[in-house]
Amino acid sequence: MKLKQMGVLSIALMSFTNAIAQKIHNADKAAGYLFAYFEGSGDKNTQEQLRFAVSQDAQNWVALNNNKPILSSADISQTGGIRDPHILRGEDKKSFYMVATDMFTAKNGWGSNPGIILMRSDNLTDWKHNTIDLAKLYPKKFKNVKWVWAPQTIYDPVAKKYLVYFTVKSYENDKLDFYAAYANKDFSGFEREPTLLFSPKFGGIDGDIVYKDGLYHFFFKGNTKDGVGKEVKNGIQQATSKSLKGPWKEDFRYLDAYADTSVVVEGSSLFKLNGTDDYILMYDLYANGRYEFQRTDDLFNFSSKPEALRKNFNPRHGSVISISKEESRLLNSKWGGVPGELLSPEDVDDRYRFTAKGNPIIKHHFTADPAAMVKGDTLWLYAGHDFAGGQQGYKMKDWIVYSTTDLKNWTEYPVSLRISDFTWAKSGDAFAGHVTERNGKYYWYISSNWSGIGVAVADRPEGPFRDALGKPLLTNKDCFASSHSWACIDPAVFIDDDGQAWIFWGNRECYYAKLKENMVEIDGEVKQLNFEGLAFTEAPWVHKHNGKYYLSYATEFPEKIAYAMADKIDGPYVYKGILNEIAGNSNTNHQAIVPFKNQWYFIYHNGGINPDGGSFSRSICIDTLNYRADGTIHKIEMTTEGTTGD
């Protein structure tokens, strides 16, 4: 091989290797946070169970598994309950360790507990567990142990082992001290009997050790006592040491914002914010049913004003680690509930694959205004994106692309088109769109509320798309029979058998026109469609079956889907009736109708995602569409099962 050829090959191989490495890095980089906790509300018999929640920003949290336990305490503990779970990412970045208090106060009270639980996982979803009963395993030293509380784990880089530490109280001594022991290799037990790690002057619970800049910081709930031993103050304190084994130097300052008030806190836990130098000190306001945090960048000085965690659950003493998108996807596949921002691909080569389980087919995003295109054995779904649940108005800033070969297993692609890509769209609204293919190019016609209808183009069905014109294709000036500002919306394109492309659109009035071969210019005059029984609201869609043209559209408000038939695409159309009744929990309706693998399908949206679905937070569904012998269509039966049968 010539040296020049070898050089080219080396460069190509290096580029390929770098691309693979970048893809791995993108999949592994921190994207959000996982919170392990036990619940503080509801049935007391189910509160002391392990639960997970996730967040993208460490402030807005969503419970996984509908806030049900992810593991049964009856299966992993001696008592039937767990408290104070602490989760740690292993030094290899791929393994995970979790410890918890083995205690079921709802059944056994606060009298005593035997020990702790150790758990290990390689994927965050499958956990091996073991229990440690200090009195039974180490009777010489711990036969009179009363409490073994709030264990945590830290990696010791000197010993190259994981140190588990926890609070111990015995029956003969009220002092609360921290003991520790190294875990064995498989994290199923201790190497030897625990020894004293730290004895705060007035005792302490809920220890949390963080290493930063050559110093170990030991945070704990401490207290102050007067000369006769009466507690006069309590809250979050810290001690420091250059060695994990101590000695620890106590700083008797209180760090939490409530130490000088009657509000009590415990369960302090620190974690670093992704991509910053800041840390969060969060704690449990257990008597008030709140969870709050303060910020720090040096672990000594903390923000004075506490901030609240926003959440759909009521956590008690827990802990947080950073997680990647791949880990978020694993968690979602096991328990569900992960929000879309932690699942959706962002990098050009990334994909998110998921399985639809009935209707709605997409549950991690709020999606609306479906448009579908079939190419070969693949159905491509182009969706509007309602940005959040429980919205009180339309907030839509981008569109999302999905594909499937069986209507059950779906692929989500990185967002390839945003309303900000159309610099002329001053409305900032990413309303309904439609995609079609011509001459190897893919054209995405979008509406932007009052700014007009635009068109973007791409070389692949998933994009990326770019503005094809730099200006709107159609504006309100083209809607000659309309007087309201949102008349120029909801484009739908149909390419007839003779190759002529048509575009339909409108609100209150239905307009149509021919498109030129280049797909980015109107060919001739804009016309208005009208016929007896039309009652047009919006969302036109044209399809063809057995030589007949079908125009379906949203009618009245709240919207139903009606349809009409014609022998020619420009009519005259004959009204045939209601095709789809009001979709659950949504004032609007919007349909796509396509044939896919010998079956016709009706794709629409409703407000069916619980608990935050609604008219402004919608979700796409799919059900079958069937014709009668005379070409008319059977009324759509909207189902929960959808096309997947789940």
Side-chain angles (χ1 to χ4, degrees), residues 99-133:
V99 289
T101 307
D102 192 342
M103 193 170 194
F104 194 8
T105 64
K107 179 182 178 182
N108 305 320
W110 292 91
S112 65
N113 72 295
I116 64 175
I117 302 151
L118 274 60
M119 291 176 276
R120 187 182 186 282
S121 174
D122 293 323
N123 57 13
L124 286 175
T125 59
D126 302 293
W127 293 87
K128 296 178 180 178
H129 62 274
N130 293 89
T131 58
I132 293 181
D133 187 324

mmCIF file of all heavy atoms in Angstrom, residues 99-133:
data_model
loop_
_atom_site.group_PDB
_atom_site.id
_atom_site.type_symbol
_atom_site.label_atom_id
_atom_site.label_comp_id
_atom_site.label_asym_id
_atom_site.label_seq_id
_atom_site.Cartn_x
_atom_site.Cartn_y
_atom_site.Cartn_z
ATOM 1 N N VAL A 99 -27.289 1.771 50.075
ATOM 2 C CA VAL A 99 -27.453 1.282 51.446
ATOM 3 C C VAL A 99 -28.672 1.965 52.042
ATOM 4 O O VAL A 99 -29.057 3.056 51.621
ATOM 5 C CB VAL A 99 -26.196 1.554 52.299
ATOM 6 C CG1 VAL A 99 -25.054 0.654 51.876
ATOM 7 C CG2 VAL A 99 -25.776 3.014 52.211
ATOM 8 N N ALA A 100 -29.278 1.325 53.035
ATOM 9 C CA ALA A 100 -30.479 1.891 53.659
ATOM 10 C C ALA A 100 -30.627 1.350 55.068
ATOM 11 O O ALA A 100 -30.109 0.275 55.410
ATOM 12 C CB ALA A 100 -31.721 1.545 52.833
ATOM 13 N N THR A 101 -31.353 2.101 55.878
ATOM 14 C CA THR A 101 -31.678 1.655 57.234
ATOM 15 C C THR A 101 -32.718 0.551 57.173
ATOM 16 O O THR A 101 -33.734 0.683 56.493
ATOM 17 C CB THR A 101 -32.246 2.826 58.056
ATOM 18 O OG1 THR A 101 -31.345 3.934 57.994
ATOM 19 C CG2 THR A 101 -32.474 2.426 59.499
ATOM 20 N N ASP A 102 -32.469 -0.549 57.877
ATOM 21 C CA ASP A 102 -33.411 -1.666 57.946
ATOM 22 C C ASP A 102 -34.345 -1.412 59.133
ATOM 23 O O ASP A 102 -34.068 -1.777 60.265
ATOM 24 C CB ASP A 102 -32.641 -2.979 58.131
ATOM 25 C CG ASP A 102 -33.514 -4.207 57.925
ATOM 26 O OD1 ASP A 102 -34.758 -4.072 57.977
ATOM 27 O OD2 ASP A 102 -32.963 -5.302 57.700
ATOM 28 N N MET A 103 -35.480 -0.751 58.853
ATOM 29 C CA MET A 103 -36.362 -0.327 59.939
ATOM 30 C C MET A 103 -37.766 -0.117 59.402
ATOM 31 O O MET A 103 -37.953 0.472 58.333
ATOM 32 C CB MET A 103 -35.838 0.964 60.568
ATOM 33 C CG MET A 103 -36.464 1.337 61.888
ATOM 34 S SD MET A 103 -35.558 2.699 62.674
ATOM 35 C CE MET A 103 -36.240 2.635 64.335
ATOM 36 N N PHE A 104 -38.762 -0.606 60.150
ATOM 37 C CA PHE A 104 -40.163 -0.509 59.741
ATOM 38 C C PHE A 104 -40.933 0.089 60.904
ATOM 39 O O PHE A 104 -41.556 -0.609 61.698
ATOM 40 C CB PHE A 104 -40.679 -1.894 59.380
ATOM 41 C CG PHE A 104 -41.994 -1.909 58.638
ATOM 42 C CD1 PHE A 104 -42.589 -0.744 58.179
ATOM 43 C CD2 PHE A 104 -42.640 -3.107 58.389
ATOM 44 C CE1 PHE A 104 -43.790 -0.767 57.497
ATOM 45 C CE2 PHE A 104 -43.848 -3.151 57.704
ATOM 46 C CZ PHE A 104 -44.423 -1.977 57.261
ATOM 47 N N THR A 105 -40.884 1.414 61.031
ATOM 48 C CA THR A 105 -41.484 2.059 62.194
ATOM 49 C C THR A 105 -43.006 1.958 62.191
ATOM 50 O O THR A 105 -43.631 1.959 63.254
ATOM 51 C CB THR A 105 -41.080 3.546 62.245
ATOM 52 O OG1 THR A 105 -41.604 4.225 61.105
ATOM 53 C CG2 THR A 105 -39.571 3.692 62.283
ATOM 54 N N ALA A 106 -43.608 1.888 61.001
ATOM 55 C CA ALA A 106 -45.068 1.796 60.943
ATOM 56 C C ALA A 106 -45.570 0.531 61.625
ATOM 57 O O ALA A 106 -46.662 0.501 62.195
ATOM 58 C CB ALA A 106 -45.536 1.822 59.490
ATOM 59 N N LYS A 107 -44.755 -0.511 61.609
ATOM 60 C CA LYS A 107 -45.140 -1.783 62.233
ATOM 61 C C LYS A 107 -44.492 -1.966 63.604
ATOM 62 O O LYS A 107 -45.152 -2.392 64.563
ATOM 63 C CB LYS A 107 -44.736 -2.943 61.321
ATOM 64 C CG LYS A 107 -45.080 -4.307 61.881
ATOM 65 C CD LYS A 107 -44.619 -5.417 60.945
ATOM 66 C CE LYS A 107 -44.915 -6.792 61.517
ATOM 67 N NZ LYS A 107 -44.417 -7.875 60.615
ATOM 68 N N ASN A 108 -43.206 -1.619 63.721
ATOM 69 C CA ASN A 108 -42.441 -1.959 64.920
ATOM 70 C C ASN A 108 -42.124 -0.780 65.824
ATOM 71 O O ASN A 108 -41.554 -0.960 66.897
ATOM 72 C CB ASN A 108 -41.118 -2.626 64.510
ATOM 73 C CG ASN A 108 -41.334 -3.825 63.619
ATOM 74 O OD1 ASN A 108 -42.265 -4.609 63.826
ATOM 75 N ND2 ASN A 108 -40.493 -3.979 62.601
ATOM 76 N N GLY A 109 -42.467 0.436 65.385
ATOM 77 C CA GLY A 109 -42.159 1.604 66.185
ATOM 78 C C GLY A 109 -40.688 1.976 66.131
ATOM 79 O O GLY A 109 -39.927 1.482 65.296
ATOM 80 N N TRP A 110 -40.269 2.845 67.056
ATOM 81 C CA TRP A 110 -38.922 3.380 67.073
ATOM 82 C C TRP A 110 -38.023 2.711 68.109
ATOM 83 O O TRP A 110 -36.917 3.170 68.369
ATOM 84 C CB TRP A 110 -38.963 4.882 67.352
ATOM 85 C CG TRP A 110 -39.579 5.664 66.234
ATOM 86 C CD1 TRP A 110 -40.890 6.005 66.083
ATOM 87 C CD2 TRP A 110 -38.903 6.185 65.098
ATOM 88 N NE1 TRP A 110 -41.084 6.717 64.924
ATOM 89 C CE2 TRP A 110 -39.871 6.846 64.293
ATOM 90 C CE3 TRP A 110 -37.570 6.180 64.671
ATOM 91 C CZ2 TRP A 110 -39.545 7.468 63.097
ATOM 92 C CZ3 TRP A 110 -37.254 6.817 63.483
ATOM 93 C CH2 TRP A 110 -38.233 7.451 62.703
ATOM 94 N N GLY A 111 -38.481 1.627 68.682
ATOM 95 C CA GLY A 111 -37.738 0.991 69.767
ATOM 96 C C GLY A 111 -36.335 0.590 69.378
ATOM 97 O O GLY A 111 -35.356 0.914 70.065
ATOM 98 N N SER A 112 -36.195 -0.118 68.268
ATOM 99 C CA SER A 112 -34.864 -0.560 67.839
ATOM 100 C C SER A 112 -34.940 -1.045 66.397
ATOM 101 O O SER A 112 -36.023 -1.292 65.865
ATOM 102 C CB SER A 112 -34.352 -1.699 68.732
ATOM 103 O OG SER A 112 -35.167 -2.849 68.570
ATOM 104 N N ASN A 113 -33.782 -1.154 65.783
ATOM 105 C CA ASN A 113 -33.698 -1.787 64.463
ATOM 106 C C ASN A 113 -32.400 -2.573 64.386
ATOM 107 O O ASN A 113 -31.405 -2.218 65.020
ATOM 108 C CB ASN A 113 -33.796 -0.753 63.344
ATOM 109 C CG ASN A 113 -32.561 0.106 63.206
ATOM 110 O OD1 ASN A 113 -32.236 0.872 64.102
ATOM 111 N ND2 ASN A 113 -31.876 -0.003 62.074
ATOM 112 N N PRO A 114 -32.363 -3.648 63.611
ATOM 113 C CA PRO A 114 -31.230 -4.567 63.666
ATOM 114 C C PRO A 114 -29.999 -4.122 62.901
ATOM 115 O O PRO A 114 -28.891 -4.523 63.245
ATOM 116 C CB PRO A 114 -31.791 -5.851 63.053
ATOM 117 C CG PRO A 114 -32.846 -5.378 62.108
ATOM 118 C CD PRO A 114 -33.453 -4.167 62.774
ATOM 119 N N GLY A 115 -30.190 -3.345 61.837
ATOM 120 C CA GLY A 115 -29.004 -3.024 61.061
ATOM 121 C C GLY A 115 -29.343 -2.323 59.768
ATOM 122 O O GLY A 115 -30.248 -1.481 59.720
ATOM 123 N N ILE A 116 -28.632 -2.691 58.714
ATOM 124 C CA ILE A 116 -28.746 -1.988 57.445
ATOM 125 C C ILE A 116 -28.841 -2.976 56.284
ATOM 126 O O ILE A 116 -28.630 -4.177 56.448
ATOM 127 C CB ILE A 116 -27.555 -1.034 57.225
ATOM 128 C CG1 ILE A 116 -26.243 -1.827 57.120
ATOM 129 C CG2 ILE A 116 -27.489 0.000 58.338
ATOM 130 C CD1 ILE A 116 -25.041 -0.964 56.776
ATOM 131 N N ILE A 117 -29.123 -2.420 55.115
ATOM 132 C CA ILE A 117 -29.238 -3.198 53.884
ATOM 133 C C ILE A 117 -28.177 -2.708 52.911
ATOM 134 O O ILE A 117 -27.970 -1.495 52.752
ATOM 135 C CB ILE A 117 -30.632 -3.021 53.253
ATOM 136 C CG1 ILE A 117 -31.708 -3.454 54.246
ATOM 137 C CG2 ILE A 117 -30.760 -3.795 51.951
ATOM 138 C CD1 ILE A 117 -33.011 -2.728 54.053
ATOM 139 N N LEU A 118 -27.501 -3.646 52.239
ATOM 140 C CA LEU A 118 -26.534 -3.341 51.199
ATOM 141 C C LEU A 118 -27.086 -3.818 49.860
ATOM 142 O O LEU A 118 -27.582 -4.943 49.758
ATOM 143 C CB LEU A 118 -25.189 -4.026 51.462
ATOM 144 C CG LEU A 118 -24.172 -3.319 52.368
ATOM 145 C CD1 LEU A 118 -24.745 -3.088 53.751
ATOM 146 C CD2 LEU A 118 -22.873 -4.109 52.432
ATOM 147 N N MET A 119 -26.972 -2.976 48.830
ATOM 148 C CA MET A 119 -27.454 -3.350 47.499
ATOM 149 C C MET A 119 -26.430 -2.941 46.445
ATOM 150 O O MET A 119 -25.726 -1.948 46.599
ATOM 151 C CB MET A 119 -28.792 -2.672 47.202
ATOM 152 C CG MET A 119 -29.947 -3.202 48.038
ATOM 153 S SD MET A 119 -31.494 -2.306 47.745
ATOM 154 C CE MET A 119 -31.256 -0.918 48.845
ATOM 155 N N ARG A 120 -26.389 -3.715 45.377
ATOM 156 C CA ARG A 120 -25.448 -3.428 44.288
ATOM 157 C C ARG A 120 -26.128 -3.670 42.949
ATOM 158 O O ARG A 120 -26.944 -4.589 42.807
ATOM 159 C CB ARG A 120 -24.208 -4.311 44.398
ATOM 160 C CG ARG A 120 -23.102 -3.953 43.414
ATOM 161 C CD ARG A 120 -21.908 -4.893 43.548
ATOM 162 N NE ARG A 120 -20.799 -4.467 42.714
ATOM 163 C CZ ARG A 120 -20.708 -4.660 41.403
ATOM 164 N NH1 ARG A 120 -21.696 -5.304 40.777
ATOM 165 N NH2 ARG A 120 -19.659 -4.250 40.717
ATOM 166 N N SER A 121 -25.780 -2.827 41.949
ATOM 167 C CA SER A 121 -26.364 -2.968 40.617
ATOM 168 C C SER A 121 -25.354 -2.554 39.563
ATOM 169 O O SER A 121 -24.474 -1.727 39.813
ATOM 170 C CB SER A 121 -27.613 -2.092 40.494
ATOM 171 O OG SER A 121 -28.116 -2.099 39.173
ATOM 172 N N ASP A 122 -25.505 -3.124 38.372
ATOM 173 C CA ASP A 122 -24.684 -2.716 37.231
ATOM 174 C C ASP A 122 -25.465 -1.876 36.233
ATOM 175 O O ASP A 122 -24.911 -1.450 35.217
ATOM 176 C CB ASP A 122 -24.120 -3.950 36.512
ATOM 177 C CG ASP A 122 -23.124 -4.707 37.382
ATOM 178 O OD1 ASP A 122 -22.371 -4.049 38.119
ATOM 179 O OD2 ASP A 122 -23.116 -5.950 37.332
ATOM 180 N N ASN A 123 -26.754 -1.639 36.522
ATOM 181 C CA ASN A 123 -27.570 -0.935 35.522
ATOM 182 C C ASN A 123 -28.665 -0.043 36.112
ATOM 183 O O ASN A 123 -29.487 0.489 35.362
ATOM 184 C CB ASN A 123 -28.210 -1.947 34.571
ATOM 185 C CG ASN A 123 -29.056 -2.973 35.290
ATOM 186 O OD1 ASN A 123 -29.380 -2.823 36.483
ATOM 187 N ND2 ASN A 123 -29.427 -4.027 34.596
ATOM 188 N N LEU A 124 -28.726 0.098 37.423
ATOM 189 C CA LEU A 124 -29.718 0.899 38.139
ATOM 190 C C LEU A 124 -31.114 0.268 38.179
ATOM 191 O O LEU A 124 -31.994 0.780 38.864
ATOM 192 C CB LEU A 124 -29.849 2.309 37.530
ATOM 193 C CG LEU A 124 -28.726 3.287 37.810
ATOM 194 C CD1 LEU A 124 -28.959 4.591 37.035
ATOM 195 C CD2 LEU A 124 -28.595 3.577 39.295
ATOM 196 N N THR A 125 -31.324 -0.820 37.461
ATOM 197 C CA THR A 125 -32.658 -1.422 37.418
ATOM 198 C C THR A 125 -32.729 -2.795 38.077
ATOM 199 O O THR A 125 -33.808 -3.205 38.515
ATOM 200 C CB THR A 125 -33.155 -1.548 35.967
ATOM 201 O OG1 THR A 125 -32.245 -2.353 35.216
ATOM 202 C CG2 THR A 125 -33.267 -0.166 35.317
ATOM 203 N N ASP A 126 -31.619 -3.507 38.139
ATOM 204 C CA ASP A 126 -31.591 -4.835 38.768
ATOM 205 C C ASP A 126 -30.622 -4.792 39.942
ATOM 206 O O ASP A 126 -29.434 -4.518 39.759
ATOM 207 C CB ASP A 126 -31.153 -5.898 37.754
ATOM 208 C CG ASP A 126 -32.062 -5.930 36.537
ATOM 209 O OD1 ASP A 126 -33.234 -6.300 36.689
ATOM 210 O OD2 ASP A 126 -31.598 -5.579 35.440
ATOM 211 N N TRP A 127 -31.142 -5.101 41.126
ATOM 212 C CA TRP A 127 -30.359 -4.923 42.341
ATOM 213 C C TRP A 127 -30.210 -6.233 43.117
ATOM 214 O O TRP A 127 -31.183 -6.952 43.315
ATOM 215 C CB TRP A 127 -31.021 -3.886 43.249
ATOM 216 C CG TRP A 127 -31.000 -2.509 42.675
ATOM 217 C CD1 TRP A 127 -31.912 -1.949 41.829
ATOM 218 C CD2 TRP A 127 -29.995 -1.510 42.886
ATOM 219 N NE1 TRP A 127 -31.546 -0.668 41.503
ATOM 220 C CE2 TRP A 127 -30.374 -0.366 42.140
ATOM 221 C CE3 TRP A 127 -28.823 -1.462 43.635
ATOM 222 C CZ2 TRP A 127 -29.614 0.795 42.124
ATOM 223 C CZ3 TRP A 127 -28.064 -0.292 43.627
ATOM 224 C CH2 TRP A 127 -28.455 0.817 42.876
ATOM 225 N N LYS A 128 -28.977 -6.521 43.539
ATOM 226 C CA LYS A 128 -28.718 -7.620 44.465
ATOM 227 C C LYS A 128 -28.674 -7.035 45.874
ATOM 228 O O LYS A 128 -28.171 -5.927 46.078
ATOM 229 C CB LYS A 128 -27.386 -8.289 44.136
ATOM 230 C CG LYS A 128 -27.363 -8.965 42.775
ATOM 231 C CD LYS A 128 -25.997 -9.575 42.498
ATOM 232 C CE LYS A 128 -25.977 -10.242 41.131
ATOM 233 N NZ LYS A 128 -24.633 -10.818 40.811
ATOM 234 N N HIS A 129 -29.186 -7.771 46.847
ATOM 235 C CA HIS A 129 -29.291 -7.199 48.190
ATOM 236 C C HIS A 129 -28.826 -8.184 49.256
ATOM 237 O O HIS A 129 -28.908 -9.407 49.079
ATOM 238 C CB HIS A 129 -30.736 -6.798 48.481
ATOM 239 C CG HIS A 129 -31.699 -7.946 48.462
ATOM 240 N ND1 HIS A 129 -32.286 -8.394 47.300
ATOM 241 C CD2 HIS A 129 -32.152 -8.752 49.453
ATOM 242 C CE1 HIS A 129 -33.067 -9.416 47.574
ATOM 243 N NE2 HIS A 129 -33.006 -9.655 48.875
ATOM 244 N N ASN A 130 -28.352 -7.616 50.359
ATOM 245 C CA ASN A 130 -27.971 -8.377 51.544
ATOM 246 C C ASN A 130 -28.270 -7.534 52.775
ATOM 247 O O ASN A 130 -28.228 -6.301 52.719
ATOM 248 C CB ASN A 130 -26.486 -8.731 51.530
ATOM 249 C CG ASN A 130 -26.125 -9.705 50.429
ATOM 250 O OD1 ASN A 130 -25.811 -9.301 49.323
ATOM 251 N ND2 ASN A 130 -26.170 -10.991 50.728
ATOM 252 N N THR A 131 -28.554 -8.198 53.882
ATOM 253 C CA THR A 131 -28.807 -7.484 55.136
ATOM 254 C C THR A 131 -27.648 -7.706 56.101
ATOM 255 O O THR A 131 -26.983 -8.749 56.072
ATOM 256 C CB THR A 131 -30.113 -7.953 55.799
ATOM 257 O OG1 THR A 131 -30.031 -9.362 56.049
ATOM 258 C CG2 THR A 131 -31.299 -7.672 54.897
ATOM 259 N N ILE A 132 -27.416 -6.700 56.934
ATOM 260 C CA ILE A 132 -26.393 -6.793 57.975
ATOM 261 C C ILE A 132 -27.052 -6.531 59.315
ATOM 262 O O ILE A 132 -27.566 -5.434 59.560
ATOM 263 C CB ILE A 132 -25.257 -5.788 57.731
ATOM 264 C CG1 ILE A 132 -24.475 -6.169 56.471
ATOM 265 C CG2 ILE A 132 -24.333 -5.722 58.942
ATOM 266 C CD1 ILE A 132 -23.318 -5.255 56.168
ATOM 267 N N ASP A 133 -27.058 -7.538 60.177
ATOM 268 C CA ASP A 133 -27.583 -7.435 61.535
ATOM 269 C C ASP A 133 -26.388 -7.333 62.476
ATOM 270 O O ASP A 133 -25.708 -8.330 62.737
ATOM 271 C CB ASP A 133 -28.439 -8.660 61.855
ATOM 272 C CG ASP A 133 -29.151 -8.545 63.184
ATOM 273 O OD1 ASP A 133 -28.569 -7.985 64.125
ATOM 274 O OD2 ASP A 133 -30.298 -9.030 63.283
#
